[in-house]
Amino acid sequence: MSDDTPKKSGLLSRLFGTGAPAPAPEPLAEAPKPSWWQRLKHGLARSSSSIGQGITDLFTKRKLDAGTLEEFEDVLIRADLGLPVATRIVEAVGKGRYGKEIEGEEVKAILAAEVTRALIPVALPLVIDTAKKPFVILMVGVNGSGKTTTIGKLAAKFSAEGRKVMLAAGDTFRAAAIEQLQVWGQRTGAPVITRPQGSDASGLVFDALDKANEAGSDVLLIDTAGRLQNRTELMVELEKVIRVIKKKDETAPHATLLVLDATVGQNALSQVEIFGKMAGVTGLVMTKLDGTARGGILVALAEKFGLPVHFIGIGEAVDDLEPFNADEFGRAIAGLE
Amino acid sequence: MFESLSDKLSGILNALTRRGALSEEDVNLALREVRRALIEADVALDVVRSFTDKVRERAVGAEVVRSVSPGQMVIKIVNDVLVDTLGSEASPIDLEAVPPVAILMVGLQGSGKTTSTGKIARRLSDRMKRKVLMASLDTRRPAAMEQLASLGKQLAIEVLPIIAGQSAVQIAKRAMDAARLGGFDVVMLDTAGRTTVDDELMAEVAEVKAVTKPHEVLLVADALTGQDAVNTAKAFDERVGITGIVLTRVDGDGRGGAALSMRAITGKPIKLVGTGEKMDALEDFHPARIANRILGMGDVVSLVEKAVENIDQEKAMRTAERMRKGQFDLTDMRDQLQQIEKIGGVGGLMGMIPGVAKMKNQIAASHLDGKVVKHQIAIVNSMTAAERKNPDLLKASRKKRIAAGAGVSVELVNRLLKQHRQMADMMKLMGQNKRGGPMAGLANMFGIGGGGMPSPEEIAAMQKQMGGGAALPEFPGAAKAPAGLPLAGSAPKLPGLPGLGVKPTLPGLGSFNPFGGKKK
C-alpha cells in the first residue's frame, strides 16, 4: 500500500491517504502527517525500541546460553506475544546457535521473520463483493475497542473508493454512541440510520437493511454496542441481530469484523474465540496501535485462529486506518529499520 | 475477575501442600508455574519477576516452623506477597478538601472514562449526598460531550453546558467557576482519551491539572489490558501524577493481571472497580479480600497462622498414623481435644472457615463452649492408662468412678465413649479410602460440623456427597467436637451452605490441613 521510503513525506501520505472529504474541522487534522508506515513505526517505536533495545543489549558480546534465551523470552512476553509464541521464537533463535555468539541484528531478523511468517497467511484485504448489494459489514467487539471510530474510518475509505455507504447506529445502549456515528456520517457524507437510544438493535438493523436496499447502497456498515464476550445475555442479543440480518439476506452479514484494542492482552484469545463462535467473525481489525501497545497478541491469534487481519488503526484522524501488512508489522515489532 | 488465575495458583500450591518435605527444586518448579500463571493472567512481566523473587527470597529465608508443612508455609508466603502487591487497605475516594473538590479522570481511549465518571458521580450523589457537577473536557472524540450530557440526564446529575470551540483548559476553568457559584461539592472532570505517547495531549491534561488542582486524579484503566498496562500506568503517573486507579471491565474474564501490575508499578491504590455496563455497577476495591480470592484459600491462611503458633505437627502426625491403622484410643482423642482448645475452641475454629462464620451464633447458643471440651478432657484424665487404651474395660462401676473423678454425670461419660467409638469407626473407614482428592480436607471440615453423632449411613452419605474424596484423618479431634449437640442434626445440610458452595473457597478448603498432618 504505502511505500518503503522512510522519508518524511506528508504529501505522500496525503496522496496515498484515502482522500477523505475535507478533513473534519478539528485542530489535530491540520498538522502535516508522516506516512502511515512511519506513524506505525513511531507508534510501535516505544515498544519496538524497547524490544529492539532489549535485543541489542542482550545479544552483545555474549555467547548464547539458557540465561540469555530466558531474558529474550521475557522481552517477547512484554510485547504481548504470549508464552507459547514467545517460547517458539526463542527456540527458533536457540536452534543450532547454542554456545555461539549471535548478533542483535540477527536476532531481530529472526524475530521479524517469525512474526511475519505467522502473520502472512492472515494479512488479507477486506474484499467487497460487488455482487452482494448491499455488502453488509457487522462490527463487533468489547466496549471501548474502537468500533464506532473504525466504522467512521471505513466509511470514509469506502466513500473515497466511490462506493455508496450507509451506516446503521446499532449501538443503542451507550450514551451518545448514535450521535458519535452521526458525526462520522456528516464527515463522510454517508446516511446514518438511527433509532432512539434504548431501542431494540435488531429492529434498527432490520430497518437499515430495508433502507440500504431502497437507496441502492453498496456497503452497509452496522455498528453494535460493545459487549464483553463472557456476558452471555449480551452475546445472545448479538446472535439475534445476526438472525434478523439473515432474515433479510441469507448470505449476510458478508463480513463480521471483530475490533480489537492493541492494548488488549491474553484476553483477546477468548474474545476471538467467543465472538467467533457466537457471531461468526470473519476478520479482525486492530486499533490504537499508535500508543505504546504492540499488538503482539496478533501473532498468537493468527496461530490459534487463522482469522484474516484486515486493517490496523494508527490514530484518531479519518485516514488513520490502513490495510494490514505482515512484513511491515513483523519488522516494526522487531525494531528493524 | 481473578477466577482463572485463582484456579491455577491454587492448583499449583495445592500440589505443594500434598508433599511432606519441599526441596529447593520443588519451590523453584512451583515458582516457574506461578510465573507462567501470572504471565498468562497478563500480569506485567516486571511485576511477575519481583513477585516470584520476593516469594523465593522469603521462602528460602523462612524460618522452618515445625508445626506446619512446608507447602503451607509457601502458601502463606505467596499470600503475603500478594497482599503486599495489591496493598492491604481499601482506599475509597477522598473528598476531604475545600469544596468544590475536583476529580480529574484520565486514561487511554476506550478505557471507560466517561462511563466511570457517570458511575462515580452517581455514587457520590446518591450515597454520600454530594452535589456533583460533571464536565466533559473531551473536545476530540465525536459526541463525547453529548455522551456525558446524556448520562447526566439519565442520572439526574448536572452537567456543565457545552460551549463549542472551547479548549479543555477553558472548559475546566469554567467548570470550577460554575461549581463555586453553584455551590457544588464535587466537580468531575472527564478528559479526552489519549495515548501515552501523545505529548501534546499529555501536556494538555497536565495543564488542566494545574488549573483545577484536583484532589483526586483517577486513572481509568481497562482490566483487559495486557503487558502495556505498565506503560500506561507509568506514563500517566509520571506525566500527570495520579492519586488512584479505577479499573473497568473487571467483569470481563478471569484474569485481572492489570490490577496487580498497575498497583505494583505506581504504588497507587485501586480505588474502585467497574463491574458492568449499568450505572450502578461500581464497587469498592478490597485488596486483602482480592488477594484471598486470587489464592482461593478463603481464610485458611489465617487458620494456618494460628496453627503455626499452636499445633505440634509431629504429635498430630503420630496420632494420624495411629488412627489410620485403626488404633485410635482415648489418649489420642484427648490430644485432639486439647488441640482444639489451643486454637480457640470449636467456636473460634469454625469462625475461621468461610461460610461457617454465620453459624457461630448458633454454636454459641448451643453452649458449645470451651466447657464441653474441658469436661471431655477431664473425663479422659480420670481414666487409668489401661482404660484409655481399651475402653471396652469400662463397665458401670468404672464409669461411676470416672464421672465422679471428672465431676460430671455418667451420662456424659457414656456420651464421650459413644463418640469415641464412632470416631474410631469413621477413622477406620476414611483410612481405608486413602484417595486424598481435592475434597479430602473438606471431608474433614464437614467432620467438624456434622461430627456429632453420625451413623455409619450418614458417614457414607457424606462421603458420597463429597465425591468419595475421604481422606486421612488429619483433623480427627474436631470430628466429634460438637458431640451430641443440636448441631449434629445439621450435618447433611452443610454442603448446601452458601459460603461453602462458592467456588473460590473450595480449593482452599481442599488444601486445608490445619494440623499439618503429612499425607503418606
Side-chain angles (χ1 to χ4, degrees), chain A residues 26 46 74 77-78 80 83 143-144 175-176 180 228 230-231 234 263 265-267 288 290 292-294 316, chain B residues 35-36 42 45-46 49 109-110 140 142-143 147 150 197 224-228 231 249 251-253 277:
Chain A
E26 289 203 322
R46 304 273 165 129
D74 288 353
I77 286 169
R78 283 213 182 87
D80 278 325
L83 261 182
N143 323 58
Q180 188 182 350
L228 290 168
N230 59 346
R231 301 289 300 271
L234 298 179
T263 58
Q266 304 303 308
N267 182 259
K288 302 183 208 170
D290 49 335
T292 44
R294 299 107 198 208
E316 288 169 300
Chain B
R35 175 179 182 272
R36 203 185 175 88
D42 281 326
L45 197 59
D46 301 323
R49 202 183 275 156
Q109 293 107 330
R140 296 164 62 101
Q147 185 182 349
S150 124
V197 292
L224 307 182
T225 315
Q227 296 287 328
D228 195 52
N231 296 324
R249 292 199 263 291
D251 51 332
D253 76 347
E277 59 273 312

Side-chain angles (χ1 to χ4, degrees), chain A residues 95-253:
Chain A
K95 214 156 132 200
R97 298 187 184 82
Y98 216 75
K100 294 180 190 152
E101 273 191 32
I102 183 166
E103 287 287 316
E105 285 304 307
E106 198 182 340
V107 175
K108 285 186 203 172
I110 298 170
L111 171 58
E114 282 291 328
V115 170
T116 307
R117 197 169 56 85
L119 291 178
I120 278 185
V122 299
L124 301 170
L126 175 65
V127 180
I128 306 286
D129 184 353
T130 45
K132 308 277 192 322
K133 206 167 169 184
F135 188 86
V136 180
I137 303 178
L138 183 70
M139 306 294 281
V140 298
V142 301
N143 323 58
S145 57
K147 285 174 297 301
T148 310
T149 305
T150 303
I151 287 192
K153 292 175 180 177
L154 281 176
K157 189 176 191 66
F158 294 142
S159 315
E161 288 167 5
R163 300 180 206 274
K164 223 172 143 189
V165 181
M166 185 173 279
L167 310 179
D171 183 353
T172 50
F173 183 83
R174 199 197 69 198
I178 298 163
E179 288 84 343
Q180 188 182 350
L181 198 69
Q182 277 170 331
V183 172
W184 280 109
Q186 282 159 23
R187 287 184 189 177
T188 58
V192 183
I193 309 303
T194 62
R195 271 198 190 182
Q197 192 186 339
S199 355
D200 179 29
S202 317
L204 171 116
V205 166
F206 193 86
D207 277 2
L209 281 158
D210 275 343
K211 297 243 170 71
N213 271 323
E214 276 168 34
S217 304
D218 298 312
V219 180
L220 174 65
L221 284 159
I222 302 174
D223 195 9
T224 61
R227 65 200 77 223
L228 290 168
Q229 72 275 15
N230 59 346
R231 301 289 300 271
T232 318
E233 76 281 14
L234 298 179
M235 294 306 284
V236 167
E237 183 193 277
L238 185 61
E239 276 185 319
K240 184 180 168 196
V241 169
I242 294 171
R243 265 202 317 276
V244 168
I245 296 175
K246 287 204 183 301
K247 245 181 222 167
K248 281 273 160 195
D249 181 351
E250 193 54 42
T251 63

Side-chain angles (χ1 to χ4, degrees), chain A residues 1-25:
Chain A
M1 143 80 223
S2 182
D3 48 1
D4 289 322
T5 51
K7 283 181 229 144
K8 198 162 174 93
S9 51
L11 249 184
L12 205 66
S13 83
R14 279 280 167 256
L15 285 178
F16 276 99
T18 46

Side-chain angles (χ1 to χ4, degrees), chain B residues 192-462:
Chain B
R194 59 206 73 223
T195 67
T196 50
V197 292
D198 191 332
D199 292 333
E200 190 192 324
L201 267 179
M202 290 302 262
E204 177 197 276
V205 77
E207 202 185 334
V208 168
K209 190 190 170 195
V211 167
T212 55
K213 302 201 175 43
H215 194 58
E216 290 269 18
V217 180
L218 300 178
L219 171 65
V220 181
D222 184 342
L224 307 182
T225 315
Q227 296 287 328
D228 195 52
V230 181
N231 296 324
T232 308
K234 245 195 221 156
F236 276 101
D237 197 27
E238 278 166 14
R239 298 288 303 266
V240 189
I242 60 173
T243 61
I245 296 164
V246 178
L247 208 58
T248 59
R249 292 199 263 291
V250 298
D251 51 332
D253 76 347
R255 288 164 223 277
L260 275 173
S261 309
M262 295 204 167
R263 171 63 174 71
I265 294 287
T266 60
K268 299 291 159 58
I270 294 165
K271 299 209 159 186
L272 293 162
V273 292
T275 53
E277 59 273 312
K278 298 275 159 55
M279 289 321 281
D280 56 355
L282 186 74
E283 289 172 15
D284 294 323
F285 185 77
H286 296 284
R289 270 186 227 166
I290 294 285
N292 273 329
R293 255 170 65 194
I294 292 180
L295 268 192
M297 298 293 169
D299 287 344
V300 169
V301 171
S302 68
L303 189 60
V304 171
E305 276 166 5
K306 279 214 159 177
V308 166
E309 293 161 16
N310 293 316
I311 289 156
D312 185 340
Q313 183 182 21
E314 280 159 37
K315 203 174 186 181
M317 265 165 57
R318 248 195 337 266
T319 315
E321 179 58 24
R322 287 168 55 77
M323 282 186 295
R324 199 170 59 80
K325 290 180 182 155
Q327 299 168 333
F328 182 71
D329 65 19
L330 284 161
T331 312
D332 297 319
M333 186 170 176
R334 186 183 59 188
D335 287 347
Q336 301 301 324
L337 287 171
Q338 283 166 344
Q339 289 190 342
I340 288 180
E341 274 226 287
K342 270 194 203 167
I343 61 175
V346 180
L349 187 67
M350 299 200 59
M352 282 184 252
I353 302 159
V356 183
K358 276 188 204 147
M359 290 168 57
K360 232 174 156 179
N361 297 334
Q362 227 176 312
I363 295 167
S366 66
H367 307 293
L368 180 66
D369 47 26
K371 273 201 183 140
V372 176
V373 177
K374 270 205 185 88
H375 284 161
Q376 290 183 324
I377 293 171
I379 294 171
V380 180
N381 281 342
S382 305
M383 297 177 185
T384 67
E387 285 165 350
R388 286 177 209 160
K389 225 175 210 132
N390 184 8
D392 291 344
L393 289 175
L394 294 174
K395 301 293 176 230
S397 64
R398 285 183 189 249
K399 285 180 188 168
K400 243 187 229 165
R401 189 205 79 231
I402 291 165
V408 297
S409 65
V410 175
E411 194 199 342
L412 276 181
V413 177
N414 278 331
R415 193 180 284 171
L416 176 91
L417 290 174
K418 192 174 175 195
Q419 273 173 44
H420 169 256
R421 206 165 51 244
Q422 286 177 332
M423 264 184 80
D425 286 350
M426 189 156 84
M427 294 311 151
K428 249 184 256 167
L429 208 78
M430 287 183 159
Q432 286 157 8
N433 186 356
K434 287 181 202 148
R435 204 163 54 82
M439 303 297 272
L442 192 64
N444 292 326
M445 296 311 297
F446 282 114
I448 300 173
M453 298 282 174
S455 65
E457 295 83 60
E458 272 174 336
I459 296 171
M462 242 148 71

